[in-house]
Amino acid sequence: MKLLHPACCSCAIDVLLLRLFLCLAIFRTARCGMSHHHCNYYDKISPLSSPSILCKDPPISTSLSTTSPMLSGGSTVTSETNITVVSDENGVEVTAENDSNETEATLVDEEETDNVASEISITTSETSTDSTVTETEPADEATSVVEESVDISPVEKAKKKSIFRRNKKIDESGSAAKIAKKLKNRNSMNMKRKIVHVLFGVGFASLNHALPREYFKPFMLIVNTGNILVEVLRYKKGFGWMNKTIHLCLGSSIRKHEMEGKFLGSLYYFNGVTLSTFLYPKTATTLGIMQLALADPSASYFGRKTKDVYWSRIENGFFGLGRNKGVLGFLGGALVCFPFNYQTLTNAKWGPDGVPGGKRAILLASIALGVAGSFADLSVPTPALTLPPSFCGIKLPPLSVDDNFVVPVVSGWACMKIFNHLGWSHDLQLSNFW
């Protein structure tokens, strides 16, 4: 029986190595399909970074060259196999070619066969079958594509750069984060905040009543502008002292979210008072600010106290208006405003002819003003409506519809309409002492 040629044994080993390499190549090329969800990330970065670009390995051509000596008989067999692995969106294609013409047998002396060593070389390149081992990593290509896709033009950078903050994580080591840990959230009753709210309202209403309009308007512009600058800067590096000063002055009346990236309620408060000052006459402005000072905190107080009275709760509201507010809170706010409005209008300087419509007109006006202020507070939903993150590619500030802004504006407008209905003059002067 003729024994198997030793060179055939060497070829069998080559075939095993060839199969192993094929399996590795197929696994390597198919891994993009197995982790396709990673490629979806680059779609969000740039249209250039699509899965078809990032997950496609370059075509690899592989040459397996084996030279094996003959242990007895002195023949040398050289075989070479070219393997091409190509991956695309439709799948994986593997091509293997065996060049049988390059197999040759050469007789050598048996004494020289002991000095011949077995040599196996696997060369990997993109297009050639050199003896140098070179492999192009697809990760390098993916990395370069990602780096190119992340590049943003100067115009886009200018659009994205904004002095305002939205959903920005506050530095945990900053002053604002440290102060926020000491504060209560908006679900707390926070009576100190309500007292501060009333004091600010009474103070602004008194200044508007006492000072001439040519002085009070510039004063409110300066106060409002300074407040806006503080809100823009206080979260930036180097301005942490502003948060410390605010906390020192207002203490626990600040809410937790107001030190976690949101604006202070004073921003809306001062803007509402300033706008009312420029829109309405002095009397309407004063009465509008006082509705803010009284109706807002009292409606909040009664609403929280009666939150378990299910029939008074407004869940979804009317197209969002009044969401999560309560009817009993609305009535409580209007009730608190009524005594002040009645006393203020009774003591106003009506002139020698007295009050047009008499006490009944004052009673109706007092109730109507309280209802207007409390209804303005009721109409603002909880949580508040917020501006979208951007508009036409331009980032917008995280402003919301706040009752501190809505109440004085709506109440001042309602005051003018009530005066028109009752035939009262807009220039009615209020008493110096309420």
Side-chain angles (χ1 to χ4, degrees):
M1 179 182 294
K2 188 176 179 180
L3 297 176
L4 183 63
H5 198 284
C8 295
C9 297
S10 178
C11 292
I13 296 175
D14 294 345
V15 172
L16 291 176
L17 291 174
L18 175 62
R19 292 181 178 178
L20 177 61
F21 183 79
L22 284 173
C23 293
L24 292 176
I26 294 173
F27 173 77
R28 174 195 180 94
T29 313
R31 65 182 179 180
C32 288
M34 296 171 62
S35 59
H36 180 71
H37 64 279
H38 293 294
C39 299
N40 292 335
Y41 167 76
Y42 300 105
D43 289 337
K44 300 178 181 178
I45 299 178
S46 171
L48 298 176
S49 305
S50 63
S52 61
I53 295 177
L54 295 179
C55 296
K56 182 186 292 184
D57 285 344
I60 300 175
S61 175
T62 305
S63 173
L64 180 62
S65 177
T66 307
T67 303
S68 301
M70 177 179 175
L71 299 180
S72 63
S75 64
T76 302
V77 178
T78 302
S79 63
E80 185 170 353
T81 302
N82 295 327
I83 302 171
T84 303
V85 180
V86 180
S87 64
D88 55 13
E89 295 177 354
N90 298 325
V92 180
E93 180 182 354
V94 181
T95 304
E97 296 178 2
N98 189 4
D99 191 358
S100 59
N101 296 328
E102 296 183 4
T103 303
E104 59 180 1
T106 304
L107 295 177
V108 295
D109 295 336
E110 293 181 1
E111 296 178 356
E112 296 178 358
T113 57
D114 296 336
N115 299 326
V116 180
S118 298
E119 179 181 0
I120 298 176
S121 61
I122 299 176
T123 60
T124 306
S125 61
E126 292 184 359
T127 55
S128 63
T129 58
D130 298 335
S131 60
T132 305
V133 179
T134 58
E135 181 176 353
T136 303
E137 290 292 337
D140 295 337
E141 183 183 5
T143 304
S144 62
V145 174
V146 173
E147 291 176 354
E148 293 178 0
S149 64
V150 174
D151 292 339
I152 303 174
S153 64
V155 177
E156 293 178 352
K157 288 182 179 180
K159 289 182 179 180
K160 290 188 176 183
K161 186 176 181 181
S162 175
I163 60 175
F164 300 107
R165 58 197 178 274
R166 180 184 290 272
N167 298 332
K168 181 179 179 182
K169 185 177 181 181
I170 303 302
D171 184 9
E172 294 296 333
S173 61
S175 60
K178 294 179 180 178
I179 295 173
K181 296 178 181 179
K182 306 176 184 178
L183 302 176
K184 301 177 181 178
N185 57 31
R186 65 181 306 116
N187 295 325
S188 174
M189 180 67 74
N190 202 340
M191 290 300 298
K192 185 175 180 180
R193 182 182 180 89
K194 291 174 172 52
I195 294 174
V196 171
H197 186 99
V198 173
L199 292 178
F200 268 102
V202 173
F204 283 130
S206 300
L207 289 175
N208 178 69
H209 176 68
L211 295 177
R213 300 287 281 179
E214 56 269 20
Y215 293 130
F216 184 70
K217 288 182 178 180
F219 169 75
M220 285 307 305
L221 282 177
I222 294 173
V223 171
N224 199 34
T225 303
N227 188 36
I228 293 175
L229 289 176
V230 170
E231 288 298 324
V232 170
L233 296 175
R234 68 188 181 95
Y235 285 103
K236 296 186 178 296
K237 186 176 181 180
F239 294 91
W241 58 270
M242 290 184 175
N243 293 314
K244 295 179 180 178
T245 304
I246 293 172
H247 183 248
L248 180 64
C249 296
L250 300 178
S252 59
S253 63
I254 308 172
R255 284 175 175 166
K256 187 180 184 67
H257 70 273
E258 293 174 337
M259 284 293 172
E260 294 179 335
K262 301 296 184 180
F263 291 129
L264 288 172
S266 60
L267 176 70
Y268 306 99
Y269 202 116
F270 295 168
N271 273 277
V273 172
T274 303
L275 183 60
S276 299
T277 303
F278 282 87
L279 289 179
Y280 310 127
K282 174 181 284 191
T283 300
T285 302
T286 301
L287 292 175
I289 296 174
M290 285 306 301
Q291 309 314 302
L292 169 65
L294 299 177
D296 186 12
S298 57
S300 175
Y301 175 82
F302 287 109
R304 295 183 186 279
K305 287 295 185 180
T306 59
K307 62 181 180 180
D308 296 330
V309 182
Y310 69 94
W311 60 265
S312 70
R313 307 306 299 173
I314 305 175
E315 294 183 359
N316 297 324
F318 183 72
F319 295 102
L321 298 178
R323 183 176 59 234
N324 295 328
K325 294 293 182 72
V327 176
L328 293 179
F330 158 72
L331 295 177
L335 183 63
V336 170
C337 292
F338 169 73
F340 169 83
N341 294 334
Y342 185 83
Q343 185 67 23
T344 301
L345 293 175
T346 300
N347 296 332
K349 299 177 181 179
W350 292 103
D353 296 334
V355 182
K359 294 290 184 179
R360 181 180 178 182
I362 294 178
L363 181 65
L364 292 175
S366 301
I367 296 175
L369 274 174
V371 170
S374 188
F375 179 79
D377 179 78
L378 175 69
S379 63
V380 178
T382 302
L385 299 175
T386 307
L387 290 178
S390 62
F391 179 75
C392 295
I394 302 175
K395 289 190 67 175
L396 298 178
L399 294 172
S400 59
V401 181
D402 194 275
D403 49 10
N404 291 325
F405 178 82
V406 174
V407 172
V409 176
V410 173
S411 298
W413 175 83
C415 181
M416 293 186 62
K417 294 301 180 181
I418 293 171
F419 278 25
N420 290 338
H421 180 73
L422 296 175
W424 295 354
S425 172
H426 293 168
D427 296 328
L428 175 66
Q429 295 184 6
L430 302 178
S431 174
N432 292 331
F433 302 98
W434 295 333

